[in-house]
Amino acid sequence: MRKKIVAGNWKMNLDLQEGIALAKELNEALTAEKPNCDVVICTPFIHLASVASVLDANLIGLGAENCADKEKGAYTGEVSAKMVKSTGAQYVILGHSERREYYKETPEILKEKVLLALANGLKVIFCIGESLEEREANKQNEVVKAELEGSVFNLSAEDFAKIVIAYEPIWAIGTGKTATAEQAEEIHAYIRGCVAEKYGAEVAENTSILYGGSCKASNAPELFAKPDIDGGLIGGASLKCADFKGIIDAWKK
Ligand code: PEP
């Protein structure tokens, strides 16, 4: 059975003290009321070690929002997958559209990052998704397939099992516009079909595919009720404990 997951992506929003406070609050809330799904929070690098020390690792997973495409050495300002892992983190988000667009991360760069993350024992939340222009030209399927082929379909089936896919239509990220549950289900089913074509039906059945893009407590139940939507990658609504918990609780409905 594939995992149901709600993962937060804090992005560049909270300072260290605010991040620790939010992690503690979430840890307390989920200790008091156990979630019905896996919960992960992905934080800026500087938060990782401190946040790891306040989380119950059996209750909440921890991840980074990025890692370097090089193993180690003279790369000023970069943070390697090994360093991420050494903080206690178990996950890393790779391929987020903001990294692809603002930091020019290409499929080849992402392929290297994925390999290094896996080699260092991290699970990868790999983001794919089309722009508004591509959706309007009805190119969403070819875009997501190319993103998978470009950076993760080179993996063995054993390594691919450590990948969580996050479908995030770029036009829905931080815009308040959510894909309808039907739109999301249609492309999630297509993505699962691509995985089945490449790795077989069993691997596809076991792959968690998260939806991301203005997901909140009010729309999560409808999205998560769809058969191919296995949870969410949450940006804005992961920055307040009550908002994030509201989405986690969607798995209880
Ligand atoms: C994201 O950037 O991963 C995301 C889903 O953001 P938001 O929930 O704010 O749209």
Short mmCIF file of all heavy atoms in Angstrom, two decimals, residues 9 11 96 98 168 172-174 212-215 233-236, ligand 1:
data_model
loop_
_atom_site.label_atom_id
_atom_site.label_comp_id
_atom_site.label_asym_id
_atom_site.label_seq_id
_atom_site.Cartn_x
_atom_site.Cartn_y
_atom_site.Cartn_z
N ASN A 9 6.29 22.74 2.85
CA ASN A 9 7.47 23.37 2.23
C ASN A 9 7.48 24.81 2.74
O ASN A 9 6.74 25.65 2.25
CB ASN A 9 7.32 23.31 0.70
CG ASN A 9 8.42 24.07 -0.01
OD1 ASN A 9 9.43 24.43 0.58
ND2 ASN A 9 8.22 24.30 -1.31
N LYS A 11 9.70 27.13 2.57
CA LYS A 11 10.37 28.12 1.69
C LYS A 11 11.17 29.13 2.54
O LYS A 11 11.58 28.81 3.66
CB LYS A 11 9.36 28.83 0.79
CG LYS A 11 8.46 27.85 0.04
CD LYS A 11 7.68 28.50 -1.05
CE LYS A 11 6.68 27.51 -1.63
NZ LYS A 11 5.93 28.04 -2.75
N HIS A 96 11.59 21.65 -7.52
CA HIS A 96 10.50 22.60 -7.32
C HIS A 96 10.53 23.65 -8.44
O HIS A 96 11.61 24.07 -8.87
CB HIS A 96 10.63 23.30 -5.95
CG HIS A 96 9.38 24.02 -5.56
ND1 HIS A 96 9.06 25.25 -6.08
CD2 HIS A 96 8.35 23.67 -4.75
CE1 HIS A 96 7.89 25.63 -5.59
NE2 HIS A 96 7.44 24.69 -4.77
N GLU A 98 10.09 26.71 -8.45
CA GLU A 98 10.82 27.95 -8.12
C GLU A 98 12.33 27.75 -8.32
O GLU A 98 13.02 28.68 -8.75
CB GLU A 98 10.49 28.37 -6.67
CG GLU A 98 9.06 28.90 -6.59
CD GLU A 98 8.40 28.75 -5.22
OE1 GLU A 98 9.10 28.48 -4.23
OE2 GLU A 98 7.16 28.90 -5.16
N GLU A 168 2.70 19.64 -9.16
CA GLU A 168 2.40 21.00 -8.76
C GLU A 168 2.24 21.88 -10.00
O GLU A 168 3.24 22.33 -10.57
CB GLU A 168 3.55 21.57 -7.92
CG GLU A 168 3.84 20.79 -6.67
CD GLU A 168 4.47 21.66 -5.59
OE1 GLU A 168 5.51 22.29 -5.85
OE2 GLU A 168 3.87 21.75 -4.52
N ALA A 172 -0.88 27.18 -10.06
CA ALA A 172 -1.65 27.05 -8.81
C ALA A 172 -0.79 27.32 -7.58
O ALA A 172 -1.30 27.37 -6.47
CB ALA A 172 -2.25 25.65 -8.73
N ILE A 173 0.53 27.48 -7.77
CA ILE A 173 1.41 27.64 -6.60
C ILE A 173 1.37 29.07 -6.09
O ILE A 173 1.72 30.01 -6.81
CB ILE A 173 2.87 27.25 -6.95
CG1 ILE A 173 2.93 25.76 -7.31
CG2 ILE A 173 3.80 27.56 -5.79
CD1 ILE A 173 4.30 25.28 -7.70
N GLY A 174 0.89 29.21 -4.86
CA GLY A 174 0.87 30.51 -4.19
C GLY A 174 -0.07 31.52 -4.83
O GLY A 174 -0.03 32.70 -4.51
N GLY A 212 0.22 19.59 -5.18
CA GLY A 212 0.63 20.85 -4.57
C GLY A 212 0.17 22.03 -5.40
O GLY A 212 0.21 22.00 -6.63
N GLY A 213 -0.27 23.07 -4.72
CA GLY A 213 -0.73 24.28 -5.40
C GLY A 213 -1.97 24.81 -4.72
O GLY A 213 -3.07 24.33 -4.98
N SER A 214 -1.76 25.76 -3.78
CA SER A 214 -2.87 26.39 -3.05
C SER A 214 -3.78 25.36 -2.38
O SER A 214 -5.01 25.54 -2.34
CB SER A 214 -3.65 27.32 -3.96
OG SER A 214 -2.81 28.35 -4.45
N CYS A 215 -3.18 24.30 -1.88
CA CYS A 215 -3.96 23.31 -1.14
C CYS A 215 -4.16 23.85 0.28
O CYS A 215 -3.24 24.38 0.88
CB CYS A 215 -3.20 21.98 -1.11
SG CYS A 215 -4.10 20.66 -0.31
N LEU A 233 1.68 18.49 -1.10
CA LEU A 233 2.86 19.28 -0.77
C LEU A 233 2.34 20.70 -0.57
O LEU A 233 1.74 21.28 -1.49
CB LEU A 233 3.92 19.21 -1.88
CG LEU A 233 5.20 20.03 -1.63
CD1 LEU A 233 5.90 19.62 -0.34
CD2 LEU A 233 6.18 19.87 -2.81
N ILE A 234 2.57 21.23 0.62
CA ILE A 234 1.87 22.43 1.04
C ILE A 234 2.85 23.57 1.29
O ILE A 234 3.76 23.44 2.10
CB ILE A 234 1.10 22.15 2.37
CG1 ILE A 234 0.39 20.79 2.36
CG2 ILE A 234 0.15 23.30 2.70
CD1 ILE A 234 -0.67 20.61 1.30
N GLY A 235 2.65 24.69 0.61
CA GLY A 235 3.50 25.85 0.82
C GLY A 235 2.91 26.75 1.88
O GLY A 235 3.06 26.53 3.09
N GLY A 236 2.19 27.78 1.45
CA GLY A 236 1.66 28.81 2.36
C GLY A 236 0.94 28.26 3.57
O GLY A 236 1.15 28.73 4.71
C1 PEP B 1 4.63 24.77 -3.15
O1 PEP B 1 5.31 25.73 -3.50
O2 PEP B 1 5.16 23.65 -3.05
C2 PEP B 1 3.21 25.00 -2.90
C3 PEP B 1 2.39 24.03 -3.07
O3 PEP B 1 2.87 26.28 -2.52
P1 PEP B 1 1.40 26.80 -2.11
O4 PEP B 1 0.76 25.74 -1.25
O5 PEP B 1 1.65 28.07 -1.35
O6 PEP B 1 0.66 27.02 -3.38
#
